[in-house]
Amino acid sequence: FPVTIQASTNSATWAESEIMAMTELGIAGGVTQDGFGPNGLVTRAQFAAFLIRSLRIAEVNPAAGCFSDVSRTAWYYGAVEAALAAQLVGGYPDGSFRPNQPITRDEIAVMVVRALNLQAVTPVSFTSPEVVLASRFKDWQTIAVWARGAVAQAVEANIVRGREGNLFAPQENASRAEAVVMLKRMLNSSGRLSQ
């Protein structure tokens, strides 16, 4: 179905062609029947769904879910369970997934690199994640230690880019437009889409 971008004063028209391409591929869907909502925040559940669709991984529906806060009746249940089974996502120590929590930019980088590894894409090599990150971002030290290697790989592969002012903004939430653009770049990087 046709999806409109619904540009606002804080417009995401910079991503319009990528959003439309990913929508046509059945990877990205709208938040309403005819609107994508590019400037809205993408949740962890939405990103898990986008990610498995990007990789053509079928949803799974086990009788008992792995996360305490992902109900079998939720629209994202099968997507989250499939992403977990493929080791693309993880949960929190309390057994939750926090599906409706907006995803952070460093979480996206980690999931994208896991997806590249699943596709057997050779990771970009570099001496040290800290050297790569320090050369690009003023706020590199705010990137969680557990995410630095993945962020550096995603940056070196040109999948994840910084924000204005040479900032990575790792703990900021990603917009729906940013998430879809990163996934499209991931697919280009892995050769699954033509450049």
Side-chain angles (χ1 to χ4, degrees):
F1 54 87
V3 173
T4 58
I5 301 300
Q6 295 180 339
S8 67
T9 54
N10 182 17
S11 182
T13 55
W14 62 273
E16 184 171 357
S17 64
E18 288 90 346
I19 292 168
M20 296 307 288
M22 296 293 271
T23 300
E24 288 170 13
L25 290 169
I27 294 168
V31 291
T32 65
Q33 186 165 352
D34 62 354
F36 182 75
N39 297 316
L41 299 180
V42 66
T43 67
R44 287 172 49 83
Q46 289 169 345
F47 192 76
F50 290 167
L51 190 56
I52 67 157
R53 290 178 199 150
S54 295
L55 300 176
R56 306 272 188 247
I57 296 172
E59 291 189 10
V60 296
N61 293 291
C66 294
F67 297 112
S68 61
D69 59 348
V70 177
S71 166
R72 284 198 77 217
T73 59
W75 69 265
Y76 48 77
Y77 178 76
V80 170
E81 290 293 328
L84 178 66
Q87 299 180 343
L88 299 170
V89 302
Y92 291 89
D94 65 359
S96 68
F97 181 71
R98 302 179 192 171
N100 297 314
Q101 177 175 294
I103 196 167
T104 61
R105 290 171 46 79
D106 58 0
E107 288 174 326
I108 283 182
V110 169
M111 292 180 194
V112 163
V113 169
R114 288 176 181 165
L116 288 173
N117 291 334
L118 185 67
Q119 298 171 81
V121 174
T122 304
V124 178
S125 62
F126 45 80
T127 307
S128 151
E130 288 75 14
V131 170
V132 170
L133 299 172
S135 70
R136 288 177 172 79
F137 307 116
K138 292 191 290 191
D139 63 345
W140 74 272
Q141 291 179 316
T142 65
I143 299 169
V145 173
W146 59 265
R148 287 182 184 171
V151 171
Q153 287 181 10
V155 167
E156 285 291 280
N158 201 30
I159 294 169
V160 179
R161 297 182 184 155
R163 289 193 171 164
E164 197 172 316
N166 294 330
L167 299 175
F168 184 74
Q171 294 303 307
E172 288 189 22
N173 301 123
S175 70
R176 289 172 52 80
E178 285 179 311
V180 168
V181 168
M182 289 181 217
L183 287 172
K184 186 167 185 293
R185 289 178 188 152
M186 176 198 74
L187 292 175
N188 285 336
S189 176
S190 66
R192 293 180 76 127
L193 289 178
S194 62
Q195 301 284 341

